[in-house]
Amino acid sequence: MQTTLAREIALKGVGVHAGVEATITLKPASANTGVVFIRSFADQAPRKATVSRRSVQATDLATVLGDRSGALVSTVEHVLAALSGLGVDNATVEIDGPEVPILDGSAGDFVAAIDAAGVAEVRGRRKFLKVLKPVRVENGASFGELLPYEAGFRLEVEIEFGHEMIGRQRFAATMSPAVFRRELASARTFGFLKDVERLRAAGYARGAALENTVCLDEGGVLNPEGLRFSDEFVRHKALDAVGDLALAGMPLLARYRSFRGGHKLNFQVVDALLADRANYAIVEAPVRPVRDTVGAEIGVSSPVPVFAPEI
């Protein structure tokens, strides 16, 4: 059956890029609603954007949704990852600012709030996008691809950064709420101290701080508490992929592989999948149970140019 939240929940905080405080309220919704963002304004009527490929306005440093009038809400990937990762099909997300609060830089606070509220079934069979044939997008040395996979949603993410604390890392898991909650939800966004001035001059990272971002300089991690996982960097990239792939509008029956990816590449793969009806089928059959499996690997790569992690 499809699901929604058992009750309303609200969180408040600043956005990592705009640095503007906002309150986000997640509300139950009926079957076949999907996830809908409603942005309120002080001087005009609310506007809304349904989570779908057609609502995407930008994917440079965050995923931005909007309507025909332009952008509405930025940095939606963490709340979408929490909803998708916990199997919530329908929700109305009201927000009174331009950007989803970054909170601690992960999806952990959203997951905790959803767990506290509970998830309830609604009348309506869950629908899935079943990938029928490979769909691949390449951007230079980066690639992302969706492959047929019968046992649910399989995620395989690999990153490579020329920093000794990161190097080459890989995360792989067949996703479920338990796996998402345990392995990905608390992995934080990250960035490099040398990029802060440039990003802020361009209007980004104005709300970034050690309380919500893992920050690295040439000597290592600046956060006094250190890392939550030895490979927290690739786990956060995997978390972002879960949120970005939710732009498909339905849970996927697929295997997703990416190398040196980010928001833009993740969305390009979704866009390529949905561009051709022969790539997928919409099915209502339930996914057969699978054992939670997770694997992660970490290694050191040869030096490569280091960019802001979401570029």
Side-chain angles (χ1 to χ4, degrees):
M1 302 296 290
Q2 292 183 36
T3 62
T4 189
L5 300 169
R7 63 177 176 84
E8 178 180 316
I9 53 179
L11 301 96
K12 186 176 183 178
V14 300
V16 69
H17 291 306
V20 176
E21 189 172 74
T23 297
I24 182 171
T25 305
L26 284 66
K27 297 183 175 182
S30 58
N32 301 314
T33 299
V35 179
V36 179
F37 281 82
I38 299 177
R39 168 81 186 277
S40 62
F41 299 88
D43 57 351
Q44 60 179 285
R47 292 159 53 195
K48 70 177 183 178
T50 300
V51 172
S52 73
R53 64 190 281 239
R54 291 182 173 84
S55 296
V56 176
Q57 300 282 312
T59 54
D60 291 327
L61 290 172
T63 299
V64 182
L65 300 182
D67 59 12
R68 292 181 178 179
S69 298
L72 279 179
V73 59
S74 175
T75 320
V76 299
E77 54 270 13
H78 296 173
V79 67
L80 288 184
L83 291 167
S84 177
L86 297 184
V88 179
D89 301 301
N90 305 287
T92 299
V93 183
E94 297 181 355
I95 187 166
D96 62 2
E99 186 176 16
V100 173
I102 192 63
L103 303 176
D104 75 341
S106 75
D109 288 338
F110 291 114
V111 167
I114 294 170
D115 283 343
V119 176
E121 290 187 349
V122 294
R123 296 182 63 85
R125 294 285 297 278
R126 175 175 283 168
K127 298 176 182 179
F128 299 85
L129 277 179
K130 181 178 181 180
V131 173
L132 301 179
K133 59 182 183 179
V135 175
R136 183 181 175 100
V137 174
E138 297 182 3
N139 289 334
S142 304
F143 75 84
E145 62 181 358
L146 283 165
L147 304 166
Y149 188 71
E150 296 286 342
F153 176 49
R154 176 80 178 171
L155 188 65
E156 300 174 8
V157 175
E158 189 169 1
I159 64 172
E160 186 176 45
F161 286 90
H163 191 290
E164 64 179 11
M165 289 292 296
I166 305 178
R168 194 160 182 162
Q169 300 180 359
R170 181 176 184 271
F171 176 89
T174 299
M175 300 306 298
S176 70
V179 168
F180 180 81
R181 189 182 289 110
R182 183 179 68 240
E183 306 293 342
L184 297 184
S186 63
R188 297 163 294 175
T189 191
F190 62 95
F192 303 93
L193 185 63
K194 69 181 186 64
D195 294 325
V196 170
E197 183 176 342
R198 174 179 61 84
L199 290 172
R200 288 181 173 167
Y204 298 105
R206 293 180 176 178
L210 293 180
E211 291 75 25
N212 58 42
T213 304
V214 176
C215 185
L216 300 100
D217 67 3
E218 294 180 358
V221 174
L222 296 179
N223 305 64
E225 73 279 10
L227 297 176
R228 294 176 176 176
F229 306 93
S230 62
D231 57 351
E232 187 169 1
F233 309 101
V234 71
R235 289 175 190 257
H236 184 78
K237 284 291 191 177
L239 184 157
D240 279 346
V242 172
D244 292 335
L245 294 175
L247 297 169
M250 299 179 194
L252 294 168
L253 295 179
R255 175 186 174 202
Y256 182 63
R257 298 179 62 234
S258 74
F259 175 65
R260 296 181 69 176
H263 300 302
K264 185 181 292 293
L265 182 65
N266 294 335
F267 172 66
Q268 287 175 332
V269 175
V270 171
D271 199 41
L273 171 72
L274 299 178
D276 187 345
R277 191 62 178 78
N279 291 334
Y280 65 92
I282 298 174
V283 299
E284 289 189 346
V287 180
R288 57 189 172 87
V290 296
R291 178 183 300 176
D292 290 350
T293 58
V294 60
E297 300 168 7
I298 182 169
V300 178
S301 65
S302 58
V304 296
V306 178
F307 301 95
E310 307 299 346
I311 293 179

